[in-house]
Amino acid sequence: MEKRRKYKIDEEMNKLNLPDYKSAIKIIPRELGIAFNTFHNYRKLLIEDTADIPYEKVRKLECLFGMESGGLINGLKPCKNLKELIYLERQQNGSEN
């Protein structure tokens, strides 16, 4: 079974026809100001990887692919809001304040 990628970069690239795909492979790293190999590594990131793409690069990719903010991520990690974390912290420490 293939592991899930952290970002939908390959899915968006696969929507392109072959001439556009070949152009995109050259244009995207240039527009992001990164090396081709770095772009290739971004495409390979798996959900469980601790490595990540810098936020401004993700936003630029979303813009290049015509996506809404947050559209490139392939599954959001659920997290508690700050009030919940403060409550849990106080519960663990036995503090009421």
Side-chain angles (χ1 to χ4, degrees):
M1 184 170 102
E2 187 175 328
K3 295 187 179 186
R4 273 187 56 186
R5 306 265 184 206
K6 192 177 272 193
Y7 297 97
K8 299 175 187 173
I9 299 170
D10 278 344
E11 289 93 331
E12 293 301 313
M13 293 293 289
N14 290 333
K15 291 177 184 176
L16 302 172
N17 62 35
L18 187 57
D20 289 351
Y21 182 94
K22 287 181 178 183
S23 294
I25 288 292
K26 296 174 188 170
I27 292 169
I28 292 173
R30 183 182 71 219
E31 288 296 311
L32 295 178
I34 59 175
F36 170 80
N37 285 343
T38 303
F39 178 57
H40 182 67
N41 289 337
Y42 286 175
R43 293 173 69 178
K44 293 189 317 182
L45 286 173
L46 301 175
I47 286 182
E48 62 267 9
D49 290 343
T50 56
D52 215 338
I53 302 173
Y55 176 76
E56 69 275 0
K57 305 287 187 204
V58 171
R59 277 300 299 136
K60 183 91 181 215
L61 281 166
E62 289 169 339
C63 187
L64 290 171
F65 290 127
M67 303 173 87
E68 296 287 324
S69 179
L72 196 64
I73 195 158
N74 204 5
L76 298 172
K77 291 183 180 178
C79 66
K80 293 176 174 49
N81 68 39
L82 188 55
K83 281 190 165 198
E84 291 174 303
L85 292 172
I86 290 170
Y87 175 79
L88 290 172
E89 179 76 17
R90 290 179 178 162
Q91 291 296 315
Q92 289 176 351
N93 294 331
S95 173
E96 294 293 321
N97 296 336

XYZ file of all heavy atoms in Angstrom:
800
model
N 0.827 -1.184 0.000
C 0.000 0.000 0.000
C 0.877 1.255 0.000
O 1.841 1.335 0.755
C -0.897 -0.009 1.244
C -1.857 1.143 1.279
S -3.079 0.930 2.582
C -2.399 2.028 3.803
N 0.535 2.197 -0.860
C 1.314 3.424 -0.965
C 1.004 4.346 0.208
O -0.143 4.508 0.598
C 0.988 4.139 -2.281
C 1.884 5.323 -2.541
C 1.638 5.935 -3.898
O 1.292 5.187 -4.822
O 1.785 7.146 -4.012
N 2.047 4.928 0.780
C 1.863 5.831 1.908
C 1.338 7.178 1.419
O 1.619 7.597 0.307
C 3.181 6.014 2.643
C 3.671 4.731 3.284
C 4.869 4.976 4.135
C 5.303 3.674 4.785
N 6.367 3.878 5.736
N 0.552 7.835 2.280
C -0.036 9.125 1.913
C 0.979 10.242 1.967
O 1.770 10.339 2.900
C -1.189 9.457 2.852
C -2.478 8.855 2.361
C -3.671 9.264 3.131
N -3.852 10.696 3.205
C -4.790 11.260 3.934
N -5.589 10.533 4.651
N -4.916 12.566 3.977
N 0.934 11.077 0.966
C 1.803 12.251 0.899
C 1.228 13.365 1.773
O 0.030 13.472 1.957
C 1.911 12.754 -0.535
C 2.349 11.694 -1.511
C 3.804 11.725 -1.724
N 4.131 10.731 -2.742
C 5.297 10.157 -2.817
N 6.238 10.472 -1.972
N 5.545 9.266 -3.741
N 2.127 14.197 2.304
C 1.727 15.296 3.164
C 1.017 16.392 2.376
O 0.107 17.037 2.881
C 2.966 15.873 3.852
C 2.669 16.819 4.991
C 3.935 17.293 5.659
C 4.342 16.332 6.744
N 5.392 16.868 7.639
N 1.436 16.583 1.126
C 0.874 17.637 0.287
C 0.367 17.062 -1.028
O 0.857 16.053 -1.502
C 1.923 18.715 0.002
C 2.381 19.411 1.258
C 3.544 19.030 1.911
C 1.630 20.445 1.803
C 3.951 19.662 3.069
C 2.025 21.081 2.954
C 3.188 20.686 3.593
O 3.587 21.307 4.745
N -0.592 17.740 -1.630
C -1.213 17.286 -2.878
C -0.484 17.813 -4.113
O -1.097 18.069 -5.140
C -2.671 17.754 -2.918
C -3.522 17.212 -1.806
C -4.908 17.810 -1.859
C -5.715 17.397 -0.648
N -7.005 18.088 -0.599
N 0.817 17.947 -4.029
C 1.596 18.483 -5.145
C 1.513 17.546 -6.344
O 1.236 17.988 -7.464
C 3.070 18.729 -4.736
C 3.131 19.748 -3.596
C 3.884 19.196 -5.938
C 4.495 19.888 -2.960
N 1.750 16.262 -6.136
C 1.707 15.311 -7.250
C 0.323 15.242 -7.886
O 0.209 15.144 -9.110
C 2.143 13.915 -6.811
C 3.653 13.759 -6.785
O 4.350 14.601 -7.387
O 4.122 12.794 -6.177
N -0.725 15.300 -7.072
C -2.081 15.267 -7.620
C -2.309 16.447 -8.557
O -2.884 16.295 -9.631
C -3.141 15.281 -6.503
C -3.221 13.992 -5.728
C -2.345 13.997 -4.488
O -1.291 14.688 -4.476
O -2.686 13.296 -3.525
N -1.836 17.623 -8.147
C -2.003 18.814 -8.975
C -1.133 18.736 -10.231
O -1.567 19.121 -11.315
C -1.678 20.077 -8.173
C -2.667 20.349 -7.063
C -4.090 20.526 -7.562
O -4.297 21.266 -8.542
O -5.001 19.909 -6.965
N 0.073 18.216 -10.079
C 0.966 18.078 -11.234
C 0.381 17.093 -12.245
O 0.465 17.307 -13.452
C 2.356 17.609 -10.788
C 3.132 18.618 -9.958
S 3.618 20.079 -10.884
C 4.865 19.401 -11.949
N -0.241 16.023 -11.754
C -0.801 15.003 -12.640
C -2.036 15.476 -13.397
O -2.451 14.838 -14.368
C -1.107 13.727 -11.863
C 0.153 13.013 -11.430
O 1.194 13.131 -12.063
N 0.070 12.272 -10.341
N -2.606 16.583 -12.991
C -3.745 17.161 -13.716
C -3.297 17.875 -14.991
O -4.121 18.179 -15.848
C -4.501 18.159 -12.830
C -5.231 17.520 -11.685
C -5.892 18.587 -10.826
C -6.559 17.979 -9.601
N -7.121 19.035 -8.719
N -2.002 18.148 -15.089
C -1.465 18.878 -16.244
C -1.241 17.939 -17.419
O -0.897 16.773 -17.231
C -0.138 19.547 -15.868
C -0.170 20.526 -14.691
C 1.248 20.941 -14.326
C -1.022 21.740 -15.018
N -1.391 18.475 -18.629
C -1.021 17.684 -19.799
C 0.509 17.636 -19.866
O 1.191 18.380 -19.150
C -1.662 18.226 -21.083
C -1.217 19.634 -21.416
O -0.073 20.029 -21.174
N -2.120 20.414 -21.975
N 1.059 16.774 -20.696
C 2.503 16.534 -20.719
C 3.326 17.794 -20.991
O 4.278 18.061 -20.254
C 2.856 15.418 -21.712
C 4.315 14.969 -21.700
C 4.740 14.497 -20.316
C 4.530 13.865 -22.726
N 2.996 18.606 -22.016
C 3.806 19.821 -22.227
C 3.757 20.777 -21.027
O 4.787 21.354 -20.647
C 3.179 20.463 -23.462
C 2.470 19.358 -24.166
C 2.016 18.414 -23.095
N 2.572 20.925 -20.418
C 2.460 21.795 -19.246
C 3.215 21.216 -18.053
O 3.838 21.948 -17.281
C 0.988 22.014 -18.875
C 0.264 22.895 -19.875
O 0.916 23.491 -20.761
O -0.983 22.977 -19.768
N 3.171 19.901 -17.890
C 3.894 19.232 -16.816
C 5.395 19.500 -16.936
O 6.048 19.864 -15.959
C 3.611 17.730 -16.853
C 4.263 16.936 -15.754
C 3.582 16.665 -14.578
C 5.559 16.431 -15.895
C 4.164 15.923 -13.556
C 6.159 15.695 -14.889
C 5.461 15.441 -13.720
O 6.060 14.716 -12.713
N 5.916 19.336 -18.145
C 7.356 19.563 -18.372
C 7.735 21.005 -18.084
O 8.801 21.273 -17.527
C 7.729 19.184 -19.808
C 7.743 17.688 -20.033
C 8.149 17.359 -21.457
C 8.222 15.869 -21.676
N 8.690 15.521 -23.024
N 6.873 21.936 -18.453
C 7.133 23.354 -18.159
C 7.061 23.619 -16.661
O 7.904 24.334 -16.105
C 6.128 24.245 -18.883
O 6.300 24.157 -20.277
N 6.056 23.040 -16.005
C 5.860 23.260 -14.573
C 7.053 22.767 -13.763
O 7.429 23.397 -12.770
C 4.580 22.571 -14.102
N 7.645 21.655 -14.185
C 8.812 21.096 -13.487
C 9.961 22.113 -13.455
O 10.737 22.153 -12.509
C 9.273 19.788 -14.180
C 8.284 18.666 -13.911
C 10.661 19.358 -13.752
C 8.234 18.208 -12.474
N 10.049 22.944 -14.457
C 11.100 23.966 -14.517
C 10.664 25.259 -13.839
O 11.445 25.909 -13.145
C 11.449 24.269 -15.979
C 12.038 23.098 -16.724
C 12.221 23.441 -18.185
C 12.617 22.201 -18.975
N 12.574 22.424 -20.414
N 9.408 25.639 -14.046
C 8.912 26.931 -13.566
C 8.731 26.959 -12.052
O 9.115 27.937 -11.392
C 7.584 27.285 -14.272
C 7.843 27.555 -15.751
C 6.900 28.465 -13.603
C 6.579 27.654 -16.603
N 8.143 25.915 -11.483
C 7.818 25.930 -10.057
C 9.046 26.120 -9.171
O 9.046 27.016 -8.317
C 6.997 24.688 -9.648
C 5.612 24.764 -10.297
C 6.889 24.575 -8.127
C 4.752 23.520 -10.121
N 10.123 25.349 -9.344
C 11.296 25.598 -8.488
C 11.844 27.025 -8.660
O 12.227 27.658 -7.669
C 12.320 24.559 -8.962
C 11.505 23.474 -9.573
C 10.324 24.169 -10.190
N 11.823 27.517 -9.878
C 12.307 28.883 -10.127
C 11.443 29.900 -9.382
O 11.959 30.807 -8.738
C 12.310 29.172 -11.627
C 12.869 30.544 -11.976
C 12.832 30.831 -13.449
N 11.433 31.031 -13.853
C 10.908 30.588 -14.986
N 11.637 29.914 -15.839
N 9.643 30.820 -15.266
N 10.114 29.732 -9.467
C 9.200 30.663 -8.802
C 9.295 30.590 -7.278
O 9.076 31.583 -6.595
C 7.757 30.410 -9.243
C 7.471 30.842 -10.654
C 7.617 32.342 -10.850
O 7.058 33.114 -10.042
O 8.296 32.740 -11.823
N 9.607 29.410 -6.756
C 9.750 29.241 -5.311
C 11.137 29.642 -4.813
O 11.350 29.760 -3.606
C 9.476 27.785 -4.910
C 8.060 27.268 -5.120
C 7.971 25.798 -4.713
C 7.047 28.090 -4.342
N 12.081 29.807 -5.737
C 13.450 30.149 -5.359
C 14.173 28.989 -4.701
O 14.952 29.173 -3.774
N 13.882 27.773 -5.197
C 14.496 26.562 -4.639
C 15.111 25.739 -5.771
O 14.822 25.973 -6.943
C 13.472 25.700 -3.872
C 12.313 25.278 -4.796
C 12.963 26.439 -2.644
C 11.315 24.320 -4.178
N 15.928 24.777 -5.406
C 16.526 23.864 -6.382
C 15.494 22.834 -6.834
O 14.525 22.544 -6.116
C 17.728 23.154 -5.766
N 15.705 22.264 -8.000
C 14.834 21.208 -8.515
C 14.733 20.057 -7.524
O 13.648 19.531 -7.273
C 15.343 20.695 -9.871
C 14.630 19.454 -10.327
C 13.378 19.539 -10.918
C 15.186 18.199 -10.147
C 12.698 18.400 -11.319
C 14.520 17.052 -10.547
C 13.277 17.156 -11.137
N 15.874 19.653 -6.953
C 15.880 18.528 -6.013
C 15.061 18.837 -4.758
O 14.417 17.951 -4.198
C 17.308 18.137 -5.626
C 17.999 17.387 -6.736
O 17.368 16.888 -7.661
N 19.319 17.317 -6.657
N 15.091 20.088 -4.315
C 14.284 20.479 -3.161
C 12.806 20.335 -3.493
O 12.030 19.808 -2.684
C 14.600 21.925 -2.741
O 15.998 22.023 -2.461
C 13.794 22.345 -1.524
N 12.406 20.772 -4.680
C 11.020 20.615 -5.110
C 10.648 19.134 -5.157
O 9.575 18.742 -4.695
C 10.796 21.283 -6.467
C 9.397 21.129 -6.991
C 8.302 21.568 -6.262
C 9.171 20.547 -8.224
C 7.008 21.422 -6.744
C 7.881 20.396 -8.716
C 6.797 20.833 -7.973
N 11.537 18.314 -5.678
C 11.301 16.872 -5.734
C 11.109 16.310 -4.319
O 10.224 15.495 -4.080
C 12.452 16.176 -6.457
C 12.262 14.704 -6.600
N 11.291 14.141 -7.391
C 12.923 13.665 -6.023
C 11.360 12.820 -7.311
N 12.347 12.517 -6.484
N 11.930 16.782 -3.378
C 11.802 16.332 -1.985
C 10.473 16.783 -1.378
O 9.853 16.040 -0.611
C 12.970 16.836 -1.139
C 14.266 16.146 -1.481
O 14.277 15.036 -2.022
N 15.379 16.799 -1.204
N 10.030 17.994 -1.704
C 8.719 18.473 -1.233
C 7.620 17.532 -1.704
O 6.701 17.220 -0.961
C 8.415 19.867 -1.777
C 9.170 21.021 -1.164
C 9.010 22.298 -1.677
C 10.036 20.872 -0.083
C 9.675 23.388 -1.141
C 10.716 21.949 0.455
C 10.523 23.208 -0.078
O 11.176 24.294 0.448
N 7.702 17.079 -2.929
C 6.680 16.208 -3.511
C 6.632 14.854 -2.809
O 5.588 14.208 -2.773
C 6.947 15.997 -4.996
C 6.783 17.266 -5.811
C 7.201 17.083 -7.234
N 6.267 16.206 -7.937
C 6.366 15.900 -9.212
N 7.365 16.380 -9.945
N 5.478 15.119 -9.779
N 7.760 14.400 -2.262
C 7.859 13.075 -1.648
C 7.498 13.050 -0.168
O 7.392 11.972 0.414
C 9.288 12.537 -1.776
C 9.735 12.233 -3.180
C 11.067 11.514 -3.227
C 12.099 12.069 -2.283
N 13.406 11.418 -2.360
N 7.308 14.206 0.463
C 7.047 14.227 1.907
C 5.806 13.407 2.252
O 4.759 13.553 1.635
C 6.846 15.667 2.388
C 8.096 16.527 2.484
C 7.725 17.970 2.802
C 9.052 15.982 3.520
N 5.961 12.554 3.251
C 4.854 11.727 3.721
C 4.226 12.359 4.960
O 4.873 13.145 5.658
C 5.344 10.319 4.057
C 5.994 9.541 2.912
C 6.550 8.210 3.418
C 5.006 9.329 1.776
N 2.979 12.017 5.219
C 2.255 12.598 6.351
C 3.013 12.421 7.657
O 3.053 13.330 8.484
C 0.826 12.014 6.442
C -0.027 12.624 5.330
C 0.198 12.262 7.794
C -1.454 12.192 5.305
N 3.635 11.269 7.854
C 4.319 11.023 9.126
C 5.706 11.667 9.211
O 6.325 11.651 10.268
C 4.419 9.516 9.413
C 5.217 8.737 8.402
C 4.373 8.143 7.288
O 3.178 8.458 7.183
O 4.935 7.368 6.517
N 6.212 12.251 8.124
C 7.518 12.905 8.138
C 7.480 14.149 9.018
O 6.496 14.878 9.046
C 7.949 13.309 6.724
C 8.299 12.119 5.846
O 8.523 11.022 6.396
O 8.346 12.290 4.619
N 8.589 14.387 9.721
C 8.673 15.600 10.540
C 9.107 16.802 9.705
O 8.853 17.936 10.095
C 9.660 15.408 11.713
O 10.930 15.025 11.197
C 9.156 14.360 12.688
N 9.748 16.561 8.588
C 10.147 17.655 7.695
C 8.896 18.312 7.124
O 7.841 17.683 7.014
C 11.020 17.117 6.566
N 9.019 19.576 6.785
C 7.869 20.303 6.271
C 8.333 21.356 5.269
O 9.507 21.708 5.223
C 7.121 20.974 7.417
C 5.631 20.997 7.211
O 5.183 20.882 6.056
O 4.911 21.130 8.213
N 7.396 21.854 4.504
C 7.655 22.927 3.555
C 7.378 24.242 4.280
O 6.356 24.355 4.958
C 6.736 22.814 2.317
C 6.910 21.465 1.628
C 7.003 23.952 1.346
C 5.918 21.218 0.495
N 8.270 25.236 4.161
C 7.994 26.533 4.795
C 6.655 27.103 4.324
O 6.268 26.950 3.163
C 9.156 27.414 4.337
C 10.246 26.458 3.981
C 9.556 25.221 3.473
N 5.958 27.761 5.250
C 4.604 28.258 4.987
C 4.516 29.108 3.726
O 3.595 28.934 2.917
C 4.097 29.059 6.194
C 2.749 29.680 5.938
C 1.596 28.899 5.958
C 2.624 31.041 5.657
C 0.349 29.456 5.712
C 1.383 31.602 5.404
C 0.256 30.806 5.439
O -0.970 31.371 5.174
N 5.460 30.030 3.547
C 5.375 30.924 2.379
C 5.514 30.157 1.066
O 4.922 30.530 0.059
C 6.386 32.074 2.459
C 7.844 31.674 2.311
C 8.505 31.212 3.595
O 7.851 31.187 4.648
O 9.702 30.880 3.534
N 6.247 29.053 1.089
C 6.374 28.212 -0.109
C 5.071 27.453 -0.378
O 4.660 27.309 -1.521
C 7.527 27.216 0.033
C 8.872 27.816 0.363
C 9.485 28.525 -0.781
C 10.903 28.954 -0.402
N 11.378 30.062 -1.160
N 4.426 26.982 0.691
C 3.143 26.291 0.550
C 2.114 27.253 -0.044
O 1.389 26.907 -0.975
C 2.644 25.727 1.904
C 1.219 25.206 1.797
C 3.571 24.623 2.394
N 2.057 28.479 0.486
C 1.100 29.467 -0.026
C 1.377 29.790 -1.485
O 0.460 29.934 -2.293
C 1.134 30.754 0.807
C 0.328 30.704 2.048
C -1.164 30.439 1.819
N -1.785 31.479 1.021
C -2.632 31.252 0.010
N -2.988 30.031 -0.310
N -3.155 32.231 -0.684
N 2.650 29.893 -1.840
C 3.003 30.176 -3.236
C 2.571 29.012 -4.137
O 2.030 29.231 -5.221
C 4.509 30.421 -3.357
C 4.999 30.798 -4.723
C 5.003 32.283 -4.897
C 5.475 32.652 -6.281
N 6.246 33.845 -6.333
N 2.793 27.777 -3.686
C 2.349 26.601 -4.445
C 0.832 26.606 -4.610
O 0.322 26.342 -5.698
C 2.804 25.311 -3.765
C 4.247 24.903 -3.975
C 4.656 23.823 -2.987
C 4.470 24.436 -5.398
N 0.118 26.904 -3.531
C -1.345 26.965 -3.618
C -1.776 28.013 -4.637
O -2.693 27.776 -5.427
C -1.950 27.267 -2.242
C -1.837 26.111 -1.279
C -2.194 26.462 0.152
O -2.165 27.660 0.519
O -2.501 25.534 0.915
N -1.103 29.127 -4.630
C -1.397 30.197 -5.589
C -1.091 29.737 -7.016
O -1.906 29.941 -7.922
C -0.587 31.432 -5.226
S -0.990 32.877 -6.189
N 0.049 29.108 -7.220
C 0.430 28.633 -8.553
C -0.567 27.607 -9.090
O -0.875 27.596 -10.284
C 1.840 28.020 -8.522
C 2.993 29.003 -8.324
C 4.302 28.251 -8.087
C 3.131 29.936 -9.508
N -1.078 26.760 -8.203
C -2.044 25.735 -8.606
C -3.488 26.248 -8.589
O -4.420 25.505 -8.879
C -1.936 24.496 -7.717
C -0.676 23.690 -7.931
C 0.146 23.365 -6.866
C -0.323 23.238 -9.194
C 1.300 22.608 -7.056
C 0.825 22.483 -9.393
C 1.629 22.172 -8.320
N -3.681 27.513 -8.207
C -5.021 28.083 -8.170
C -5.885 27.498 -7.064
O -7.083 27.307 -7.243
N -5.271 27.238 -5.919
C -5.978 26.609 -4.800
C -6.252 27.632 -3.697
O -5.541 28.627 -3.575
C -5.141 25.470 -4.217
C -4.770 24.396 -5.214
S -3.621 23.207 -4.526
C -4.756 22.073 -3.777
N -7.264 27.342 -2.893
C -7.556 28.140 -1.704
C -6.467 27.896 -0.658
O -5.788 26.873 -0.696
C -8.906 27.730 -1.113
C -10.091 27.999 -2.013
C -10.438 29.475 -2.102
O -10.297 30.191 -1.088
O -10.845 29.906 -3.193
N -6.370 28.802 0.296
C -5.439 28.625 1.403
C -5.762 27.331 2.140
O -6.916 27.070 2.469
C -5.545 29.817 2.356
O -4.677 29.657 3.433
N -4.769 26.508 2.371
C -4.956 25.223 3.047
C -5.317 24.084 2.112
O -5.427 22.949 2.541
N -5.489 24.375 0.828
C -5.911 23.355 -0.123
C -4.835 22.357 -0.507
O -5.134 21.279 -1.007
N -3.586 22.698 -0.273
C -2.488 21.816 -0.680
C -2.212 20.712 0.336
O -1.723 19.645 -0.022
C -1.219 22.642 -0.905
C -0.091 21.984 -1.667
C -0.505 21.667 -3.096
C 1.138 22.875 -1.679
N -2.571 20.957 1.578
C -2.293 19.969 2.619
C -3.208 18.763 2.451
O -4.366 18.899 2.086
C -2.404 20.589 4.028
C -1.770 19.676 5.049
C -3.822 20.882 4.385
C -1.359 20.382 6.304
N -2.661 17.601 2.678
C -3.372 16.349 2.425
C -3.882 15.741 3.731
O -3.603 14.608 4.048
C -2.439 15.368 1.715
C -3.189 14.339 0.915
O -4.398 14.379 0.801
N -2.455 13.406 0.353
N -4.608 16.493 4.487
C -5.135 16.009 5.768
C -4.606 16.853 6.896
O -3.410 16.969 7.082
N -5.512 17.481 7.592
C -5.119 18.340 8.701
C -4.887 17.518 9.949
O -5.628 16.583 10.231
C -6.210 19.386 8.966
C -6.487 20.349 7.832
C -7.718 21.191 8.158
C -5.293 21.236 7.576
N -3.864 17.894 10.683
C -3.611 17.249 11.962
C -4.535 17.902 12.980
O -4.498 19.113 13.167
C -2.152 17.439 12.390
C -1.168 16.689 11.536
C 0.228 16.871 12.078
C 1.224 16.114 11.227
N 2.586 16.298 11.701
N -5.374 17.103 13.626
C -6.263 17.708 14.618
C -5.463 18.234 15.795
O -4.493 17.609 16.226
C -7.173 16.555 15.028
C -6.427 15.319 14.680
C -5.528 15.669 13.537
N -5.857 19.382 16.296
C -5.174 19.918 17.468
C -6.197 20.586 18.370
O -7.252 21.028 17.930
C -4.069 20.892 17.074
S -4.643 22.393 16.296
N -5.875 20.640 19.638
C -6.731 21.287 20.613
C -6.480 22.789 20.570
O -5.369 23.230 20.277
C -6.433 20.738 22.001
C -6.812 19.278 22.180
C -6.387 18.798 23.553
C -6.835 17.402 23.872
N -6.581 16.389 22.905
N -7.510 23.576 20.899
C -7.288 25.016 20.954
C -6.604 25.365 22.268
O -6.483 24.535 23.179
C -8.589 25.795 20.726
C -9.585 25.623 21.857
O -9.224 25.587 23.023
N -10.851 25.509 21.502
N -6.161 26.589 22.387
C -5.376 27.002 23.537
C -6.147 26.864 24.851
O -5.582 26.433 25.864
C -4.892 28.444 23.357
C -3.907 28.958 24.389
C -2.688 28.051 24.494
C -3.504 30.380 24.077
N -7.437 27.166 24.850
C -8.227 27.026 26.083
C -8.231 25.577 26.569
O -8.117 25.315 27.767
C -9.659 27.512 25.863
C -9.805 28.995 25.911
C -11.268 29.374 25.924
C -11.373 30.818 26.349
N -12.692 31.177 26.793
N -8.388 24.636 25.634
C -8.375 23.220 26.011
C -7.021 22.819 26.585
O -6.939 22.091 27.573
C -8.688 22.343 24.798
C -10.109 22.450 24.310
C -10.327 21.665 23.031
O -9.622 21.927 22.040
O -11.208 20.783 23.052
N -5.937 23.293 25.958
C -4.595 22.959 26.435
C -4.328 23.546 27.815
O -3.717 22.897 28.663
C -3.546 23.444 25.428
C -3.553 22.717 24.091
C -2.608 23.402 23.110
C -3.193 21.260 24.258
N -4.800 24.773 28.055
C -4.632 25.390 29.371
C -5.401 24.590 30.415
O -4.881 24.301 31.501
C -5.092 26.865 29.337
C -4.113 27.697 28.500
C -5.224 27.429 30.759
C -4.585 29.106 28.192
N -6.621 24.199 30.091
C -7.438 23.408 31.012
C -6.738 22.083 31.345
O -6.638 21.702 32.518
C -8.819 23.150 30.405
C -9.678 22.247 31.244
C -10.333 22.744 32.373
C -9.828 20.900 30.924
C -11.120 21.909 33.155
C -10.607 20.064 31.705
C -11.249 20.572 32.816
O -12.023 19.745 33.592
N -6.237 21.390 30.307
C -5.540 20.124 30.537
C -4.290 20.314 31.375
O -3.980 19.502 32.259
C -5.196 19.466 29.197
C -6.374 18.915 28.399
C -5.922 18.469 27.018
C -7.034 17.767 29.153
N -3.564 21.381 31.114
C -2.346 21.687 31.878
C -2.677 21.867 33.357
O -2.004 21.337 34.232
C -1.682 22.938 31.319
C -0.436 23.378 32.032
C 0.776 22.537 31.719
O 0.761 21.803 30.716
O 1.757 22.622 32.471
N -3.738 22.606 33.605
C -4.146 22.847 34.993
C -4.633 21.567 35.659
O -4.401 21.358 36.857
C -5.215 23.934 35.039
C -4.649 25.294 34.703
C -5.683 26.370 34.727
N -5.056 27.643 34.436
C -5.719 28.712 34.043
N -7.046 28.667 33.918
N -5.079 29.824 33.800
N -5.314 20.719 34.924
C -5.781 19.447 35.461
C -4.616 18.556 35.852
O -4.636 17.919 36.904
C -6.669 18.725 34.435
C -8.000 19.390 34.201
C -8.868 19.381 35.432
O -8.993 18.379 36.111
N -9.468 20.520 35.740
N -3.591 18.538 35.021
C -2.420 17.696 35.277
C -1.626 18.212 36.481
O -1.038 17.429 37.228
C -1.519 17.639 34.052
C -2.116 16.833 32.928
C -1.258 16.871 31.666
O -0.293 17.627 31.573
N -1.637 16.057 30.696
N -1.595 19.530 36.640
C -0.816 20.119 37.740
C -1.631 20.271 39.013
O -1.101 20.711 40.029
C -0.240 21.465 37.318
C 0.790 21.323 36.229
O 1.468 20.312 36.141
N 0.915 22.326 35.395
N -2.925 19.959 38.955
C -3.775 20.077 40.127
C -4.090 21.508 40.481
O -4.501 21.806 41.589
N -3.901 22.415 39.554
C -4.147 23.831 39.793
C -5.552 24.194 39.333
O -6.027 23.731 38.326
C -3.124 24.666 39.016
O -3.444 26.030 39.110
N -6.215 25.055 40.116
C -7.553 25.507 39.758
C -7.506 26.787 38.947
O -8.455 27.134 38.270
C -8.385 25.738 41.028
C -8.668 24.465 41.796
C -9.577 23.518 41.033
O -10.520 23.986 40.383
O -9.330 22.307 41.066
N -6.460 27.563 39.019
C -6.373 28.859 38.325
C -5.832 28.671 36.959
O -5.025 28.491 36.398
C -5.558 29.864 39.142
C -6.252 30.164 40.468
O -7.459 30.002 40.581
N -5.490 30.607 41.432
